Amino acid sequence: MALTASGKVNAGFASVDITPKIGTHLAGSGAGVHRPAQSVLDPLHAKAAVFRDGDTKLVVVELDVTIINSEYADKISEGIMKALDIPRECVMVMGTQTHSAPGVGYFCVDEDYPLDVPAEREYIWGSEKAFSDMAAEGAIKAAIEAEKKVRPLYMQTRRAMKRGLAFNRRIICRIDEEETIDTAVSYKVGIDWKKGDIIMPFPMDNTTLNNPLGPDYLSHEEGPIDNEILATCFADENMKIESMILHFTCHPVNGYCNPETYNAVSADWPGCWAKEMKERLGLNELPLTINGCCGNTNPIDPYEPDQVMDAEVMADKLADVSMKMAHMMDYSKCRDVKLSAKLEWIPINYRDMPQWRIDQCKEILGDDISKPKYAEDGSLDVDWFYAASSYGVTLQMKREPVFMYPVQVFRIGELAIVGLAGEPFSEGQLKLKLESPAPLTIVGHMANKYVGYIPVKEGCSRGGLEAHPLHTYWNKLEPDALDKIVDKAVGMLKDIF
């Protein structure tokens, strides 16, 4: 029997264009690499959905950006709280994490780091204030406009499964110690390779020319992925669909991984999927596309030579499945829904940073840590960037001795929406969905605060970008963090269901 979640709800939707200006820094590359926007593949949006039941209002805001730090998540939330007169737990702010968009708020270097850079080097922080302010204003405006459009609608959620769109990107390596891998994405700066380590393949590395027999230096994927596609339709009494909430789980890196579109602005598969569904169904408003826990998931097939990355091709495949679900919706048994929300902050310890790494950072940063070091071509020195990133963790630990992690859950009738900060691994999402008391559960990552990667416990010792041996700002939490987060989210869902 198909799993569904149905109901009648007062809901409204709206979107605001937040496409950046030419030259704005695109934040998806990390490591202090500057990517000024040179063209636009597709526009970026801030999208909002508002749900109302009596005096209770729930707001979901989604931005086509790489990250949203806590400063701007709070700024957006406070603006919506004031405009709609609702408490903080009723506002969920998240980003799709498209790697072909700017970030919202500084995130590459800790806020207390005494970084001294001119305006043209602001990108070293990870984002630029001008875009961040514009995007935040757009998100607040979208919520206000969505609230004005609230009206009675029928809703139903259906699920489908689709293989071949996403892949576990953490591949266990099988090379011998005397061998080397010539790849720009090994993330092993200053660390020797050994059999059993993690590598993240990129399409430009996995070509027939380089590997005529396929990438024979790889062994197998470290873990599973979530192949689930969820679609929630909101329709009027004539069964005309007003808008949708869509859910899939995969890093949006199609544009970023294609050299031809590396400097192009794009909402990647989440934005292309929303646009495709709006056109195919004639929707009044763009759907929200909530990206799941994709910390270890890419659209890159690690074993397919010469793969061409294309967000629109991926979106077409997602839309084909979504259209089937849209035409199988049944609004005849919908009952009035109740709304509820919870937001809690749980304490999580930091990962231990070895003294040798602290000493190494001090040596690399030198006497004046405020002055970045640059390579001969003028680009930021990658060793300096990683050292500054690691040193930033020590600053955060002084300011916040225990990391306070936000977990947020919404109930919209039979449907659950969970907002988790940072980039948890898909294993956590799969467990959460299995243990959720709701018929269907949407999990959104990059919600309310920037955290970094949250690996599975057994993956922390294998390294890779997500569990960097050098201990950087985006992999700083203890190995048990994901288990604690999932247990808390499941407990909160049981409280409201």
Side-chain angles (χ1 to χ4, degrees):
M1 189 174 94
L3 292 175
T4 62
S6 304
K8 288 193 293 184
V9 64
N10 295 306
F13 303 84
S15 63
V16 172
D17 192 304
I18 56 169
T19 306
K21 296 179 179 179
I22 186 171
T24 303
H25 175 62
L26 306 180
S29 57
V33 178
H34 190 206
R35 286 172 62 209
Q38 296 176 353
S39 62
V40 177
L41 282 178
D42 49 273
L44 308 183
H45 291 91
K47 294 177 281 187
V50 176
F51 305 95
R52 188 173 65 206
D53 173 29
D55 294 332
T56 302
K57 295 178 188 176
L58 303 184
V59 181
V60 181
V61 177
E62 173 203 75
L63 288 81
D64 292 324
V65 296
T66 308
I67 67 100
I68 307 170
N69 74 0
S70 57
E71 175 191 359
Y72 277 90
D74 290 344
K75 185 175 183 178
I76 293 169
S77 298
E78 290 165 4
I80 294 172
M81 290 161 57
K82 182 178 180 180
L84 274 61
D85 190 24
I86 55 177
R88 176 65 182 87
E89 65 266 20
C90 293
V91 182
M92 186 182 294
V93 179
M94 63 183 71
T96 61
Q97 211 206 353
T98 169
H99 279 45
S100 296
V104 177
Y106 296 161
F107 73 102
C108 280
V109 183
D110 185 76
E111 61 188 71
D112 285 340
Y113 194 95
L115 185 61
D116 182 14
V117 293
E120 62 270 19
R121 297 271 188 178
E122 186 185 8
Y123 65 85
I124 294 175
W125 287 102
S127 71
E128 294 163 331
K129 189 175 185 301
F131 175 83
S132 299
D133 289 343
M134 183 269 286
E137 291 174 4
I140 296 169
K141 182 179 178 182
I144 293 172
E145 291 301 311
E147 202 272 339
K148 294 177 182 177
K149 298 177 181 179
V150 169
R151 62 184 179 123
L153 295 171
Y154 296 88
M155 62 171 281
Q156 185 172 70
T157 303
R158 296 190 74 97
R159 72 188 297 262
M161 304 298 290
K162 178 71 173 178
R163 294 182 62 183
L165 296 180
F167 306 86
N168 191 297
R169 75 184 199 176
R170 285 173 58 85
I171 314 298
I172 294 177
C173 176
R174 65 184 303 155
I175 62 168
D176 294 324
E177 292 185 11
E178 63 268 18
E179 295 181 283
T180 60
I181 298 176
D182 183 18
T183 171
V185 295
S186 62
Y187 296 102
K188 299 289 285 187
V189 180
I191 300 291
D192 293 329
W193 278 96
K194 66 179 184 299
K195 189 179 294 185
D197 281 345
I198 294 293
I199 187 171
M200 183 174 71
F202 262 31
M204 58 280 287
D205 304 312
N206 186 18
T207 63
T208 302
L209 179 64
N210 296 337
N211 300 291
L213 300 178
D216 58 355
Y217 53 86
L218 303 180
S219 176
H220 60 279
E221 297 96 326
E222 182 184 53
I225 62 166
D226 189 347
N227 287 305
E228 182 179 59
I229 302 172
L230 286 175
T232 303
C233 290
F234 297 87
D236 62 21
E237 60 184 5
N238 296 315
M239 295 178 288
K240 170 69 170 66
I241 301 176
E242 172 82 6
S243 191
M244 306 175 74
I245 293 180
L246 305 167
H247 171 56
F248 187 63
T249 303
C250 185
H251 252 81
V253 293
N254 288 283
Y256 168 67
C257 289
N258 189 335
E260 297 177 3
T261 55
Y262 181 73
N263 287 90
V265 174
S266 173
D268 211 270
W269 67 259
C272 292
W273 188 16
K275 179 185 68 174
E276 187 69 18
M277 294 309 297
K278 186 175 189 296
E279 292 176 354
R280 290 196 192 190
L281 290 171
L283 305 178
N284 293 330
E285 301 291 344
L286 275 172
L288 277 70
T289 43
I290 297 178
N291 191 5
C293 298
C294 63
N296 57 344
T297 306
N298 266 357
I300 302 164
D301 186 338
Y303 307 111
E304 179 62 37
D306 306 307
Q307 182 182 5
V308 177
M309 308 302 297
D310 192 319
E312 291 190 353
V313 171
M314 182 175 176
D316 280 342
K317 294 177 180 179
L318 287 165
D320 288 343
V321 178
S322 306
M323 287 297 292
K324 293 180 182 179
M325 288 191 282
H327 293 312
M328 293 176 68
M329 298 293 177
D330 180 6
Y331 307 109
S332 63
K333 299 178 182 179
C334 292
R335 297 175 297 178
D336 292 340
V337 307
K338 296 296 182 183
L339 307 178
S340 56
K342 289 178 71 73
L343 172 63
E344 296 186 15
W345 300 74
I346 61 173
I348 297 179
N349 294 320
Y350 294 91
R351 175 179 157 205
D352 292 332
M353 184 181 296
Q355 187 60 46
W356 70 262
R357 177 56 179 162
I358 296 174
D359 295 338
Q360 186 182 59
C361 289
K362 291 180 179 178
E363 181 179 353
I364 294 172
L365 295 175
D367 294 332
D368 187 356
I369 67 172
S370 68
K371 300 294 184 183
K373 295 179 181 179
Y374 302 96
E376 291 184 1
D377 63 0
S379 62
L380 189 67
D381 180 82
V382 67
D383 287 328
W384 182 93
F385 176 82
Y386 280 128
S389 177
S390 298
Y391 183 74
V393 180
T394 66
L395 297 176
Q396 184 174 18
M397 292 171 69
K398 291 179 181 179
R399 181 179 68 250
E400 190 179 2
V402 177
F403 190 90
M404 298 305 295
Y405 183 95
V407 179
Q408 190 171 19
V409 296
F410 280 4
R411 177 176 182 171
I412 306 171
E414 298 175 314
L415 176 68
I417 301 180
V418 180
L420 299 180
E423 301 176 62
F425 276 23
S426 59
E427 288 93 329
Q429 174 170 294
L430 290 168
K431 181 182 178 185
L432 198 163
K433 287 181 175 181
L434 279 173
E435 297 184 7
S436 171
L440 289 173
T441 301
I442 291 174
V443 184
H445 79 332
M446 285 289 179
N448 298 314
K449 184 175 183 177
Y450 177 69
V451 177
Y453 295 105
I454 309 173
V456 290
K457 183 177 182 179
E458 56 271 23
C460 290
S461 61
R462 296 192 184 106
L465 170 65
E466 304 85 0
H468 204 302
L470 297 185
H471 194 303
T472 61
Y473 200 60
W474 50 71
N475 37 56
K476 54 181 173 282
L477 300 183
E478 63 177 324
D480 290 331
L482 186 60
D483 291 334
K484 293 180 178 180
I485 292 164
V486 171
D487 289 345
K488 168 58 74 171
V490 171
M492 292 168 65
L493 285 171
K494 290 179 179 178
D495 288 342
I496 66 172
F497 275 85

